[in-house]
Amino acid sequence: MRALMLKLEPIIWGLFGGGMFVGALLLPAFVLVLGVLAPLGVVTLDTGALFALARHPLGRLVCLVTIALPLWAGAHQLRHIFLDFGGLRYDGFLGALLYLLALLGSALGIVAVWNL
Amino acid sequence: MSTLRARLDAMRPSQAGPTRTADPRPPDHFPSRGNYRSYLMFGLGSSLMLLVSANLLRVVKSLGDGERAFDALLESFAHPLYLGFHLLAFVWLSWVALHFFALFPKTQPFRIGPFKRPPDALLVTGLRALFLLSTLLVTALLLGVL
Amino acid sequence: MAEQKKTLVVTRFDPDRDQTPTTREYEIPVEADWKVLDALNYIKAQVDPTLSHRWSCRMAVCGSCGMNVNGEPKLTCKQPLSAYGERVEVAPLANFPVIRDLVVEMDGFMERLKQVKPWIIEAKEEAKREGTNRQSHAELMDFKQFSMCINCMLCYAACPVVANEPDYLGPAALALGHRYNQDTRDHGGVERNQILRDDGGVFSCSYANECSEVCPKGVDPAGAIQQAKLNNVLDWAKRFVVPRRKPRAPTAAAQSDEPGRG
Amino acid sequence: MGYSFEACRDAVRAGDAGMDVQRHDIVIVGGGCAGLRAAIAVLHQNPAASVALVSKVYPMRSHTVSAEGGAAAVARDDDSIEMHGYDTVKGSDFLGDQDVIQYFVEQAPAELAQLERWGCPFSRNEDGSVATRAFGGMTTKRTWYATDKIGFHMLHALFQTSMQYENIVRLDEHFVTKLLVDGGRCGGVVALDLRSGEMKAVLGRAVILCTGGAGKIWPFTTNGNIKTGDGMALAYREGAPLKDMEFVQYHPTGLPGTGILITEATRGEGGYLLNTEGERFLLTRDYGVGAKAELGPRDMISRAIMLEVRAGRGISVPGKIGEYAHLDLRHLGEEIIDGRLPFVRELARSYAGVDPVREPIPVRPVLHYMMGGVDVDIEGRTCIEGLYAAGETACVSLNGANRLGSNSLTECLVFGARAGVHAVGFAREGGAGDAAEPQLLEQCSAEAARIEALRGSKRGDETLAGLREALNLTMEEGTGVYREQSAMARTVSAVAELRKRYQNLHLLDSSRVFNTELTEALELGNLIEVAETVAVAAKARKESRGAHACEDFPTRDDQNFLHHSLVHRTPEGPPRFDTKAVTLGTWEPEERKY
Ligand SMILES: Cc1cc2nc3c(=O)[nH]c(=O)nc-3n(C[C@H](O)[C@H](O)[C@H](O)COP(=O)(O)OP(=O)(O)OC[C@H]3O[C@@H](n4cnc5c(N)ncnc54)[C@H](O)[C@@H]3O)c2cc1C
Ligand code: SF4
Ligand code: F3S
Ligand code: FES
């Protein structure tokens, strides 16, 4: 498992790098609006407008990228934290699990964006 | 000194030397020393992205499922636990973003063709400004202001 | 001048006598402009000749005198004693097996250096050339910083990955590999990149950046490693997209005349 | 027991000795510039050869690492081989052998070009060619540089290049304590493995000594802790004479207290030397350097600084003994300083608390380099068959009475390579037959016993620190920048006395593993041995030439002293002094004026 991951490292790291960039630029804003401001009632969201925004081809792309890439970034970082605390023995298993999660999330993201 | 242990085979040569050695210690004060702390905070913070993005996936999915599903989801976000998590995620991720941009410049080549990498300070400031701008933009877009 | 005193808490270990390292305290008079190494040399000459530590140039260039001082890896011939208070702890570099007292086992490090093929790999037809290469100042600057490493190993003592991944080549060795890849005179990019992205290579680095924090020579191994990662991603991507083309590193440096492999 | 020429590096247990025995074709002692170059040269000459590279420190720690300024070789159109030759001859005060100098200046460009192709990051001109800078005593810019860390970059380039040769078997942190010589034929060395504390026999058909200088004889030196003249002492003890030992170079610009070097390149780039009145005394007063001023040769500038200090125009530095001159770089500006002399700035800040961009650096002459060494011919051969020497430890008579700055790194390359090539040729022909192995192994056992007896030995009440200090003091007194017959006579007897006191060492560390007290004791023994030859040779030279400035005889005397001095060891009693003719040629001795 580890050997396979090693072969794929360049892609994984590329996804990770992209994920960090996208995550850093976009995620805080999403969390702020959807997770804090809206539920608190500070602002009211216009669902229709949001829907239109998301359906726009560019909107779909942004949605997908913001979902999929940070998943990889998060998975990769978590894996390294495990390693830093002595998790090398479980790296094959844990890494595979985390990346599979990210893969699954990305696939579901595609589906979700498709279904918009 | 650190309470963690280094692997006993850290930095061992492929063949043992002729005399017994004392085991390696892990880096002193790991992870409590300042830089290690921010490194860990950064790592943990960006691991949060796993959860935040998963939630975003739910949001997008609910949008596709129709207005009701979306509203229901938003309503569930009002739960104090959820709120707390999102608040924490917002603060933490913003810090991660700022830290990330500080670490970013030197990951780039010094030069691409004839173009030199701009001075680090400029790049960092630029990227952080970009972060602010994009946060404002996305917020505005989501709120339908634009 | 009022005479100042400091207590050095020094790690002692003799494999023939001690099970594990212990510490010993030396209270000594110190002078205002002493470096940590001066205090150790004073102890060795005047107080306890059985103390063993490595040093030579005392001008921060031979790289022998790295130790953990108050928990941080330092070049003891450069680190002023005045940076510390009454008590100064001097221990061998972390992450290394200890041979004796402050002397660490560095053969593992030497093996890692060699693994990245730190020499100019010439294109085949060039092998028998004479004269010098031309290289612009800008091309020199693409790798100069990474050629400043004095092999002091402070970065290894600071890196959390070194502590946990025994196969990790580590900051200095990886930066050295990147140094040769960035050199226009070198043509071993493909060969070396395969090593750099293999087990224990650049992708094991989690960018803790502590290596660069402690590096006394401004090498910035963390930067080198991330740049090498980027090179490898682009290398890989290019070969993936255009499998038959010669791979080219992004900074016009690491090129090879061999067809892409892998 | 003969051995084949093919690589044979299995360690075998030699029956009686109970000692590890390794067999190689060539044994190189020392992993500095000269040693590494020799090792690579051997393998280029014969890829099948097996080379043992024995060094008491990991090669990249060798003191070559600290060289700052640059390495000389003709590179520019306005320069010529002849000019480099003449500068070197004149710099040597006509004591350099001119056949050697001719060979040296001819080979220098190719050697440095080779190093460039091996990846040394030389600084560059606009057009991408290698940049050169001015250096003392050189007519034009011919010193190749890599900012101000040439030695560091050369050493690492050589060392890293050497890593690709599987046939170089490194014995790192092995301290050579004795050469194995039987019947006038050298057949290897015995080394103390610092790690295990055990002795190893390293046999070879030829041995090349590349162990560097002996600056640690003096208290105030640019040299690192490892420069203890081991190779000189090793060869000397086996009967090889040391040549021209009285000529030791004082570098004009060392930092107060530590003696850390501020490179001559500071002056090459245009720095000034000032006295306390802010006067550029090299220009305004007659010190023999003429219009060259700060770019005069080192011996003259060192003397000029001493005379300024004597005349009461020195600068005192708080908390430091002695008086200094100021090295002023401020007018060069931050850009040039950071661009070409960044290490100087780092050193001045860290070790003198002075930022050269804003303040002048206090400097004074400091012991730097040994022109003398093991007497070798142009092939690097000593008078012992199978024993070669190269680099600072050898005296091939390139530098004569005064070395020009930046010639010595090139010397290490040129003559390291030549010694390597010749040694492997010699080994292939089997020389005059191999030395008899049983005899050599017997010597190994005796040597092992000697070391064993020294470790932690409590013979008397002399301490290492005490003896070292006494040696430093007397050598400074007798063999400083200026020398007096009476002081030299005192030094000669003081060193002879120290040799006796050395027998009464009181050592405390009897442990086996990495016993640095033991190596320090061995080093001190070597220092005393070499120091004695310096004092004896200095006393015998009753003239002033190059770096040897004798106040009782202030002029050069070609009639009586245009010869090399040789010092031989005698089993008991004082060293035996002898002379050897200088090889002249193109250039006849003339008054040395700049
Ligand atoms: C501060 C400084 C600056 C200088 N700047 C310049 C300059 O700009 N230009 C220039 O041309 N020259 C310069 N020089 C001179 C030049 O650096 C030296 O002459 C040259 O480096 C000597 O190289 P080497 O190979 O002979 O010896 P070193 O580099 O000293 O190497 C000696 C080797 O021998 C080994 N060794 C010694 N004893 C033993 C033993 N008993 N057993 C086993 N191994 C042993 C050591 O481990 C080491 O590897 C400078 C010198 C100094 C000190
Ligand atoms: S990269 Fe820096 S810290 Fe690491 S070995 Fe090199 S000089 Fe030392
Ligand atoms: S500290 Fe270690 S993890 Fe990477 S950035 Fe430096 S090598
Ligand atoms: S003694 Fe050489 S780097 Fe400290």
Side-chain angles (χ1 to χ4, degrees):
Chain A
M1 198 72 270
R2 231 181 152 241
L4 180 67
M5 272 168 15
L6 214 64
K7 248 202 142 75
L8 296 178
E9 274 286 13
I11 331 174
I12 297 175
W13 188 78
L15 290 170
F16 156 79
M20 285 306 294
F21 219 102
V22 170
L25 280 182
L26 302 178
L27 274 188
F30 278 109
V31 178
L32 180 67
V33 178
L34 298 174
V36 182
L37 298 184
L40 274 182
V42 181
V43 297
T44 34
L45 292 177
D46 179 346
T47 319
L50 266 187
F51 189 63
L53 204 64
R55 282 201 69 159
H56 186 275
L58 214 66
R60 285 178 198 250
L61 188 72
V62 170
C63 283
L64 179 59
V65 161
T66 327
I67 292 169
L69 289 182
L71 279 177
W72 288 94
H76 192 69
Q77 282 281 19
L78 206 54
R79 177 182 160 213
H80 273 294
I81 287 181
F82 279 119
L83 282 173
D84 284 344
F85 286 89
L88 185 65
R89 278 181 56 200
Y90 313 104
D91 187 40
F93 171 71
L94 254 175
L97 188 74
L98 284 167
Y99 293 139
L100 278 179
L101 267 178
L103 194 68
L104 186 72
S106 308
L108 288 178
I110 294 175
V111 175
V113 170
W114 189 265
N115 283 340
L116 271 174
Chain B
M1 305 262 154
S2 177
T3 47
L4 292 164
R5 287 172 46 140
R7 287 185 55 113
L8 300 184
D9 48 0
M11 291 312 281
R12 289 243 190 249
S14 52
Q15 285 192 335
T19 62
R20 192 170 67 85
T21 49
D23 295 332
R25 314 183 311 285
D28 290 339
H29 308 310
F30 182 84
S32 60
R33 198 165 86 214
N35 297 324
Y36 292 132
R37 221 163 33 225
S38 49
Y39 161 66
L40 266 187
M41 294 300 286
F42 180 71
L44 286 173
S46 24
S47 304
L48 265 190
M49 289 182 181
L50 210 59
L51 298 178
V52 172
S53 284
N55 245 351
L56 190 66
L57 171 66
R58 289 177 63 204
V59 173
V60 174
K61 183 173 177 305
S62 70
L63 264 182
D65 289 351
E67 209 160 305
R68 246 205 278 108
F70 179 71
D71 286 342
L73 186 66
L74 270 199
E75 220 157 281
S76 74
F77 283 177
H79 189 280
L81 272 182
Y82 244 132
L83 256 179
F85 166 70
H86 276 137
L87 206 62
L88 179 80
F90 171 65
V91 175
W92 205 338
L93 283 181
S94 301
W95 178 83
V96 163
L98 294 178
H99 193 75
F100 175 69
F101 292 131
L103 285 174
F104 181 78
K106 66 184 195 182
T107 65
Q108 300 305 303
F110 293 127
R111 191 167 64 96
I112 297 179
F115 304 107
K116 266 202 186 153
R117 184 170 97 194
D120 287 8
L122 195 76
L123 253 181
V124 174
T125 323
L127 284 169
R128 287 183 170 168
L130 184 69
F131 165 70
L132 221 69
L133 217 75
S134 86
T135 304
L136 286 176
L137 191 79
V138 172
T139 312
L141 272 174
L142 287 179
L143 295 181
V145 179
L146 287 178
Chain C
M1 241 197 305
E3 195 175 72
Q4 221 202 325
K5 290 208 163 218
K6 284 197 188 203
T7 303
L8 270 86
V9 186
V10 182
T11 303
R12 300 301 308 268
F13 172 70
D14 177 353
D16 287 340
R17 280 179 210 136
D18 309 322
Q19 205 49 46
T20 52
T22 53
T23 57
R24 201 166 147 188
E25 302 196 359
Y26 301 95
E27 195 187 321
I28 54 163
V30 301
E31 277 172 36
D33 60 353
W34 270 11
K35 311 292 180 200
V36 175
L37 179 65
D38 292 314
L40 292 175
N41 286 344
Y42 178 88
I43 294 172
K44 172 110 183 135
Q46 310 294 342
V47 188
D48 185 353
T50 67
L51 176 66
S52 276
H53 60 288
R54 290 190 180 111
W55 69 285
S56 170
C57 72
R58 54 82 181 88
M59 58 193 277
V61 70
C62 76
S64 352
C65 67
M67 295 164 209
N68 272 30
V69 186
N70 276 7
E72 280 188 61
K74 293 284 178 199
L75 217 47
T76 50
C77 71
K78 196 178 181 197
Q79 184 64 9
L81 199 56
S82 57
Y84 305 99
E86 280 286 284
R87 283 171 71 83
V88 188
E89 285 170 26
V90 186
L93 286 176
N95 279 339
F96 287 91
V98 181
I99 292 178
R100 151 130 193 217
D101 297 348
L102 299 166
V103 177
V104 296
E105 162 74 276
M106 56 180 284
D107 281 346
F109 170 75
M110 300 302 283
E111 285 171 5
R112 284 166 173 78
L113 273 191
K114 189 177 162 186
Q115 273 181 42
V116 302
K117 303 200 174 180
W119 51 78
I120 295 280
I121 299 175
E122 293 196 324
K124 294 213 165 55
E125 68 272 22
E126 280 181 74
K128 279 260 177 281
R129 252 165 357 98
E130 285 179 7
T132 56
N133 296 289
R134 287 196 178 229
Q135 184 169 62
S136 72
H137 182 69
E139 288 168 337
L140 174 65
M141 285 305 142
D142 282 343
F143 72 89
K144 181 74 193 276
Q145 175 186 329
F146 306 133
S147 74
M148 302 298 278
C149 170
I150 61 173
N151 298 349
C152 66
M153 314 186 298
L154 299 192
C155 49
Y156 284 74
C159 175
V161 176
V162 171
N164 288 298
E165 285 189 52
D167 290 334
Y168 184 39
L169 289 173
L174 293 172
L176 187 63
H178 185 60
R179 169 245 179 277
Y180 278 95
N181 275 353
Q182 293 296 101
D183 192 327
T184 44
R185 297 170 290 185
D186 179 79
H187 298 267
V190 170
E191 222 174 308
R192 214 175 278 112
N193 267 341
Q194 264 172 2
I195 300 162
L196 291 190
R197 67 165 167 268
D198 206 348
D199 199 2
V202 286
F203 290 111
S204 287
C205 163
S206 54
Y207 201 179
N209 197 39
E210 194 58 10
C211 51
S212 294
E213 293 286 336
V214 300
C215 175
K217 292 282 131 181
V219 175
D220 191 8
I225 296 171
Q226 315 317 311
Q227 291 178 19
K229 286 180 188 169
L230 197 62
N231 275 357
N232 267 296
V233 172
L234 296 176
D235 213 32
W236 181 89
K238 266 180 196 144
R239 234 167 328 151
F240 185 70
V241 178
V242 208
R244 274 174 200 288
R245 279 267 302 279
K246 296 173 186 175
R248 284 182 141 256
T251 50
Q255 306 155 12
S256 170
D257 299 298
E258 297 174 44
R261 277 175 284 168
Chain D
M1 211 198 308
Y3 40 84
S4 74
F5 185 66
E6 273 57 58
C8 166
R9 48 187 121 103
D10 322 87
V12 185
R13 291 239 147 213
D16 307 345
M19 188 188 283
D20 264 353
V21 181
Q22 294 200 9
R23 293 175 184 79
H24 301 269
D25 296 309
I26 309 288
V27 178
I28 297 175
V29 186
C33 185
L36 289 167
R37 182 66 190 92
I40 298 173
V42 166
L43 289 172
H44 276 202
Q45 189 72 12
N46 187 334
S50 157
V51 177
L53 188 69
V54 192
S55 176
K56 66 176 174 180
V57 294
Y58 283 86
M60 70 283 184
R61 316 292 193 214
S62 302
H63 205 60
T64 294
V65 82
S66 66
E68 298 170 25
V74 171
R76 286 157 60 103
D77 293 339
D78 66 357
D79 199 1
S80 71
I81 299 289
E82 287 68 41
M83 281 159 74
H84 191 187
Y86 177 64
D87 286 347
T88 305
V89 170
K90 186 172 169 189
S92 79
D93 221 347
F94 298 90
L95 204 71
D97 283 352
Q98 294 187 15
D99 54 339
V100 167
I101 292 175
Q102 187 66 32
Y103 178 76
F104 167 78
V105 292
E106 279 167 9
Q107 294 302 311
E111 275 299 332
L112 284 185
Q114 170 74 271
L115 197 70
E116 192 278 338
R117 296 199 301 280
W118 282 336
C120 183
F122 286 112
S123 295
R124 301 284 173 165
N125 292 318
E126 281 292 314
D127 65 354
S129 58
V130 173
T132 50
R133 63 162 43 125
F135 239 67
M138 302 275 190
T139 337
T140 180
K141 294 185 177 179
R142 68 166 72 97
T143 297
W144 303 33
Y145 64 99
T147 61
D148 50 358
K149 280 195 153 183
I150 186 67
F152 164 79
H153 286 302
M154 276 176 84
L155 184 65
H156 281 250
L158 280 169
F159 180 49
Q160 287 160 12
T161 300
S162 81
M163 283 187 187
Q164 63 193 291
Y165 300 99
E166 295 297 335
N167 277 10
I168 298 179
V169 179
R170 286 206 330 264
L171 290 138
D172 296 331
E173 300 198 325
H174 282 61
F175 189 108
V176 173
T177 64
K178 183 178 166 38
L179 300 176
L180 298 173
V181 179
D182 187 54
R185 173 77 170 83
C186 183
V189 303
V190 203
L192 170 69
D193 179 352
L194 297 188
R195 167 72 183 272
S196 67
E198 269 160 26
M199 302 293 285
K200 275 185 195 163
V202 189
L203 305 185
R205 292 182 152 172
V207 174
I208 311 178
L209 288 173
C210 302
T211 52
K216 280 306 209 182
I217 290 175
W218 290 269
F220 191 61
T221 173
T222 62
N223 285 194
N225 189 41
I226 54 173
K227 298 199 71 169
T228 51
D230 298 355
M232 297 179 192
L234 289 173
Y236 182 59
R237 285 199 197 105
E238 301 307 325
L242 301 186
K243 182 167 63 178
D244 290 345
M245 293 303 286
E246 66 271 39
F247 298 108
V248 295
Q249 178 163 75
Y250 281 82
H251 195 294
T253 57
L255 289 183
T258 55
I260 288 173
L261 178 78
I262 296 299
T263 170
E264 186 164 305
T266 50
R267 282 170 286 131
E269 296 296 343
Y272 298 150
L273 280 173
L274 306 176
N275 61 19
T276 182
E277 286 150 23
E279 172 192 356
R280 259 182 88 186
F281 52 89
L282 289 166
L283 208 58
T284 54
R285 294 168 200 269
D286 181 19
Y287 287 118
V289 290
K292 274 189 132 30
E294 279 85 0
L295 286 178
R298 290 177 179 172
D299 52 342
M300 294 184 170
I301 295 183
S302 288
R303 286 197 286 271
I305 295 178
M306 296 307 278
L307 291 177
E308 284 295 305
V309 167
R310 275 192 202 176
R313 292 190 292 272
I315 289 149
S316 41
V317 177
K320 297 287 166 223
I321 305 160
E323 288 188 69
Y324 297 81
H326 266 158
L327 175 63
D328 193 355
L329 305 181
R330 288 171 296 184
H331 55 285
L332 300 181
E334 188 161 2
E335 200 176 316
I336 293 215
I337 294 180
D338 282 347
R340 301 200 197 145
L341 305 164
F343 191 41
V344 164
R345 192 173 185 193
E346 180 188 333
L347 289 173
R349 277 175 157 173
S350 293
Y351 298 97
V354 173
D355 183 353
V357 171
R358 279 171 209 96
E359 302 144 273
I361 314 170
V363 291
R364 64 163 266 206
V366 50
L367 190 115
H368 185 56
Y369 180 85
M370 315 272 305
M371 268 72 77
V374 184
D375 178 26
V376 296
D377 68 6
I378 198 168
E379 311 283 3
R381 273 183 298 202
T382 67
C383 68
I384 299 171
E385 206 164 9
L387 180 64
Y388 294 74
E392 192 171 343
T393 213
C395 179
V396 64
S397 286
L398 167 70
N399 302 308
N402 174 62
R403 166 180 76 104
L404 289 190
S406 75
N407 262 358
S408 76
L409 285 173
T410 316
E411 174 188 354
C412 290
L413 294 174
V414 170
F415 294 101
R418 181 138 183 192
V421 168
H422 197 275
V424 74
F426 170 83
R428 161 173 262 166
E429 285 147 25
D434 298 328
E437 201 170 296
Q439 268 83 325
L440 298 186
L441 291 178
E442 214 164 279
Q443 290 184 19
C444 292
S445 318
E447 179 65 4
R450 179 179 84 94
I451 303 295
E452 190 57 42
L454 181 63
R455 170 185 308 151
S457 74
K458 295 169 183 58
R459 296 175 185 164
D461 52 4
E462 299 286 359
T463 64
L464 276 175
L467 288 186
R468 207 182 297 137
E469 197 177 307
L471 177 72
N472 285 170
L473 280 181
T474 183
M475 289 303 286
E476 163 140 84
E477 196 206 341
T479 58
V481 175
Y482 279 102
R483 295 150 179 204
E484 280 173 275
Q485 280 292 322
S486 56
M488 283 188 272
R490 279 199 300 280
T491 300
V492 170
S493 49
V495 177
E497 182 63 30
L498 280 172
R499 178 192 280 290
K500 293 205 193 89
R501 285 171 65 189
Y502 180 76
Q503 299 308 319
N504 302 327
L505 263 186
H506 184 86
L507 301 180
L508 289 169
D509 191 350
S510 54
S511 65
R512 200 167 55 93
V513 177
F514 222 95
N515 184 335
T516 47
E517 190 195 37
L518 176 62
T519 47
E520 280 186 8
L522 290 166
E523 287 172 341
L524 181 64
N526 294 336
L527 285 173
I528 294 176
E529 197 91 74
V530 178
E532 186 166 32
T533 68
V534 174
V536 166
K539 172 129 194 329
R541 189 171 283 278
K542 297 185 171 64
E543 64 159 351
S544 285
R545 180 189 298 271
H548 179 71
C550 185
E551 307 215 58
D552 315 75
F553 307 94
T555 52
R556 197 174 85 193
D557 178 358
D558 286 338
Q559 206 65 41
N560 298 309
F561 290 99
L562 185 58
H563 56 61
H564 301 296
S565 21
L566 291 183
V567 182
H568 294 265
R569 192 169 195 270
T570 57
E572 299 300 323
R576 181 167 61 82
F577 183 81
D578 201 357
T579 63
K580 183 175 174 179
V582 175
T583 311
L584 295 174
T586 321
W587 298 287
E588 281 303 309
E590 59 186 23
E591 196 193 351
R592 182 162 165 253
K593 264 264 170 213
Y594 287 90

